[in-house]
């Protein structure tokens, strides 16, 4: 297990372009998840691999860490963030500008989208490349789960072509939400796979606090705190900083507010806003009315529950907006979780839904 600071061993050579990828010199846990990504990408030679999960869960960090661990298996590694929502033509131009000299070609970018697309696929076939796209959710439609925003539909074709066309490369992407093309390709002939990233363990969650200073609390307090925030690394970093400044490192005082159902930290509300609210408008929920209805009921119920129990209690949904459809949508949005056949929300999500999403 990695705790504390260690080297971020990216190979400094002309065949790698890490752009603005996050620093992973401090990285905690995730051994099992990293082993699974290694198996899919190196062992199974998957063409498309997705890392999915809610805001702050550590998707970008584990994508960087996995890429560092497997970089020697690839001739070329390229990282690009979609944070600023580049049209596909712009992204392809950026990729080709880096790739063309490596293939001994003058970086004269083809003028049309189709020709750019064809050139990229030519490169993916001829040499083993690892292409990483971060923050794919930025270009997904805020209202229709898994669908692309207007003007970005060509990304779906990119994902589908890379997943279904023979080549020797891999596309690794991160997203809060699973694109519809990925849902249909996943498991098909072992060429595509998706990792749903969950929270850190108690030990790894406490290691985040150790980076921030000294804290006091019983084992039970620590367990309640980490569980409340679902082991979400970014939330835990925010809580650690606020606990130091507000409570002089006392975990017990934070627990007192949690027991009262109070979301103490505004930064966490802002973080969850990005998960639940549309990018374009802070007043536009990403969720449909039917999704919100299921979500509110789960928040009120609080405990893990079967789909049959949810069906019994949620009435008034027309057949085309059935409970299974809404649960599937909420799971693909990395909001609802499932274990042992039961559906549930993390405690911090319950508080947010109860107090801030109405």
């Amino acid at each position: 297990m990695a705790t504390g600071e260690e080297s971020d061993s990216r190979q400094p050579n002309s065949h790698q372009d890490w752009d603005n990828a996050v620093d992973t010199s401090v990285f905690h846990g995730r051994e099992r998840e990293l082993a699974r990504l290694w198996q899919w990408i190196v062992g199974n030679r998957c063409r498309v691999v997705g890392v999915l999960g809610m805001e702050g869960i550590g998707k970008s960090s584990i994508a960087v860490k996995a890429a560092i661990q497997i970089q020697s298996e690839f001739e070329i590694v390229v990282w690009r963030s979609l944070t600023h929502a580049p049209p596909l033509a712009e992204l392809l131009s950026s990729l080709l500008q880096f790739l063309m000299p490596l293939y001994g070609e003058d970086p004269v970018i083809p003028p049309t989208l189709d020709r750019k697309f064809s050139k990229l696929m030519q490169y993916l076939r001829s040499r083993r490349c690892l292409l990483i796209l971060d923050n794919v959710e930025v270009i997904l439609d805020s209202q229709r789960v898994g669908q692309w925003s207007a003007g970005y539909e060509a990304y779906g074709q990119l994902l589908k072509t890379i997943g279904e066309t023979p080549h020797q490369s891999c596309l690794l992407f991160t997203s809060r939400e699973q694109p519809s093309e990925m849902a249909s390709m996943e498991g098909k002939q072992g060429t595509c796979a998706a990792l749903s990233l969950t929270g850190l363990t108690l030990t790894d969650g406490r290691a985040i606090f150790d980076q921030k200073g000294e804290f006091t609390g019983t084992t039970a307090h620590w367990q309640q705190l980490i569980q409340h925030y679902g082991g979400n690394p970014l939330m835990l970093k925010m809580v650690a900083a606020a606990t130091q400044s507000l409570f002089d490192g006392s975990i017990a005082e934070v627990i007192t507010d949690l027991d009262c159902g109070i979301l103490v930290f505004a930064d966490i509300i802002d973080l969850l806003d990005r998960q639940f609210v549309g990018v374009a408008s802070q007043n536009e929920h990403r969720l449909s009315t039917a999704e919100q209805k299921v979500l509110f009921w789960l928040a009120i119920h609080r405990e893990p529950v079967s789909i049959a129990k949810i069906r019994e209690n949620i009435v008034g949904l027309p057949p085309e907006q059935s409970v299974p459809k809404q649960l599937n949508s909420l799971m693909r949005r990395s909001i609802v979780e499932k274990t042992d056949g039961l559906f549930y929300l993390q405690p911090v999500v319950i508080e947010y839904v109860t107090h801030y999403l109405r």
Side-chain angles (χ1 to χ4, degrees), residues 214-288:
E214 298 292 328
F215 296 86
T216 59
T218 66
T219 300
H221 285 155
W222 278 108
Q223 188 166 0
Q224 184 177 348
L225 182 70
I226 303 299
Q227 183 179 6
H228 183 86
Y229 292 103
N232 186 297
L234 183 53
M235 289 188 190
L236 294 179
K237 290 176 184 177
M238 293 174 175
V239 173
T243 302
Q244 280 284 10
S245 62
L246 295 174
F247 304 119
D248 297 322
S250 171
I251 302 299
E253 293 196 47
V254 180
I255 296 300
T256 298
D257 283 326
L258 294 184
D259 287 340
C260 295
I262 300 172
L263 264 177
V264 182
F265 311 113
D267 287 345
I268 290 180
I269 297 172
D270 292 340
L271 182 71
L272 289 169
D273 278 343
R274 295 199 293 272
Q275 179 77 29
F276 285 89
V277 181
V279 175
S281 170
Q282 289 302 300
N283 297 314
E284 178 185 326
H285 291 311
R286 295 184 69 90
L287 309 181
S288 68

Side-chain angles (χ1 to χ4, degrees), residues 14-31:
S14 60
H15 289 68
Q16 296 192 2
D17 181 355
W18 291 94
D19 195 37
N20 59 352
V22 298
D23 179 21
T24 59
S25 56
V26 178
F27 186 87
H28 304 286
R30 302 295 197 195
E31 291 89 354

